[in-house]
Amino acid sequence: YKEGVTILQLVPSYVSGLLDIDSDFDLGGLDYFLVTGEAVHTSLLSKWFSRYPDIPVVNAYGPTEAGDDVSLHFMNEAPSGQNVSIGKPVANMQIYVVDDKDNLCPVGVMGELWVSGIGVGRGYLNDSAKTAKVFRDNPFTNSSSRLYKTGDLGRWLSDGSLEFLGRKDDQVKIRGHRIELGEIESVLSSQSGVNSCCVLAKSDSSGLDRLVGYVVMSGAFDKQFLQDQLNQELPSYMVPLVWVCLEEMPLTVHGKINKKELPDPDMSSLSTASYVAASNEIEEELVRIWQDLLGVEQVGVHDNFFELGG
């Protein structure tokens, strides 16, 4: 306020840390607060509007390759849904939702976001191969405009705005199911006590991919409570069974969550059942088979084959 700042733009992960500090910042001079660089969750917006109800928030979306922010969504209160709209394209920019066969997707259908318009760059300096993969002529117009294939996923909503649904390279396959990690993070972030979160797919010693939930909590960490809450909103195969509770998320110099610095989890706590040892010859033989097949050191008679990675 003292510096006369009227528009402030920050990364959501950094904002979350600021709001957790037990003090009120004097932001009365702000006309708009912009969040960008990462998907913003409704829990963070609720926290913002509870402290600054008169300062509107703009959810800004855009890759560097397309001149940064290419769509904007203005809010005066936290939205009721889990995902926050990224709004509509700004002037002189076009956004397309495209399927795997380069066809335009209808309203409600997920596809890759392609950006065209005055902000699209020429390509990557001294890297023609990488440029050829993601920069191309616009096939949807008669003009000679260029477009950039973002690698982001999204869909058109019925009101003409866009919904961001994560990254194509954040899609993972767990037990044959294709999963969007961002969808899990969106639900997880709305749970009581979760200040910050991240979900990754990590390989165990046998090479199986497992979902790992990383959380920063405002109170005590209760793994069973979080899993029960997620099971009410997500199918069971999308609920992490391995959890890591952190005091704070590692951030990059730009304020984004640094996923490379997240610690490796302890894969020994995969089952939700209490351990009960085998009590007869058949159970002992089954335990040996499961241990060998799943690469798990301890198997109890009440363990779930699929929870352990089967």
Side-chain angles (χ1 to χ4, degrees):
Y1 182 75
K2 293 179 181 179
E3 303 298 327
V5 175
T6 57
I7 298 178
L8 178 65
Q9 180 166 314
L10 293 173
V11 175
S13 300
Y14 185 66
V15 179
S16 179
L18 289 179
L19 292 179
D20 289 335
I21 297 175
D22 189 20
S23 63
D24 288 330
F25 304 103
D26 187 2
L27 299 178
L30 280 186
D31 293 330
Y32 294 100
F33 171 54
L34 283 76
V35 286
T36 188
E38 288 178 325
V40 62
H41 300 301
T42 53
S43 57
L44 176 60
L45 294 173
S46 297
K47 192 182 298 184
W48 172 270
F49 284 116
S50 67
R51 185 173 295 186
Y52 306 112
D54 298 324
I55 302 177
V57 177
V58 183
N59 190 22
Y61 165 79
T64 302
E65 290 88 344
D68 209 18
D69 297 336
V70 298
S71 71
L72 302 172
H73 178 59
F74 293 78
M75 294 169 282
N76 292 301
E77 60 182 5
S80 56
Q82 291 177 353
N83 289 339
V84 182
S85 170
I86 58 174
K88 301 178 181 181
V90 300
N92 299 315
M93 297 297 295
Q94 299 82 44
I95 300 178
Y96 305 95
V97 181
V98 186
D99 65 17
D100 290 338
K101 296 183 179 180
D102 294 357
N103 297 312
L104 294 175
C105 295
V107 173
V109 175
M110 183 178 68
E112 184 180 5
L113 299 180
W114 292 9
V115 180
S116 182
I118 195 171
V120 174
R122 298 181 181 180
Y124 298 106
L125 184 64
N126 298 326
D127 195 337
S128 57
K130 185 177 179 182
T131 297
K133 287 182 179 179
V134 294
F135 287 91
R136 58 173 292 179
D137 293 332
N138 189 341
F140 308 120
T141 67
N142 294 324
S143 64
S144 59
S145 62
R146 297 259 290 161
L147 62 73
Y148 169 66
K149 300 166 64 174
T150 68
D152 293 330
L153 297 171
R155 63 183 174 186
W156 290 109
L157 301 177
S158 57
D159 64 358
S161 65
L162 284 160
E163 183 178 47
F164 175 81
L165 297 172
R167 292 280 304 168
K168 287 185 70 174
D169 47 23
D170 277 346
Q171 286 185 332
V172 298
K173 215 167 190 181
I174 304 291
R175 283 186 272 157
H177 299 283
R178 190 169 297 281
I179 295 173
E180 303 287 346
L181 297 179
E183 186 176 351
I184 306 173
E185 291 173 351
S186 180
V187 176
L188 180 56
S189 70
S190 66
Q191 304 307 314
S192 175
V194 177
N195 285 344
S196 182
C197 66
C198 181
V199 178
L200 299 179
K202 292 270 191 177
S203 297
D204 62 13
S205 57
S206 60
L208 294 171
D209 281 339
R210 304 184 189 275
L211 294 175
V212 181
Y214 294 87
V215 291
V216 176
M217 306 294 296
S218 58
F221 169 64
D222 188 333
K223 170 185 172 180
Q224 190 60 54
F225 172 78
L226 285 179
Q227 290 182 172
D228 290 343
Q229 292 299 109
L230 294 187
N231 272 310
Q232 294 179 22
E233 302 185 53
L234 296 170
S236 59
Y237 62 82
M238 292 180 67
V239 178
L241 296 175
V242 182
W243 295 83
V244 179
C245 185
L246 304 171
E247 291 187 2
E248 60 182 16
M249 287 287 179
L251 303 179
T252 66
V253 293
H254 302 294
K256 299 181 182 182
I257 293 178
N258 191 342
K259 296 180 180 180
K260 294 181 180 180
E261 293 299 320
L262 289 169
D264 289 330
D266 178 7
M267 293 291 190
S268 63
S269 58
L270 290 169
S271 177
T272 59
S274 299
Y275 174 71
V276 176
S279 59
N280 57 53
E281 186 176 343
I282 293 179
E283 289 180 352
E284 290 174 353
E285 181 61 22
L286 283 172
V287 165
R288 282 194 291 270
I289 293 172
W290 284 27
Q291 287 173 329
D292 180 59
L293 181 64
L294 303 176
V296 179
E297 292 184 6
Q298 178 176 279
V299 176
V301 296
H302 295 308
D303 284 338
N304 184 306
F305 181 77
F306 298 105
E307 284 186 356
L308 296 179

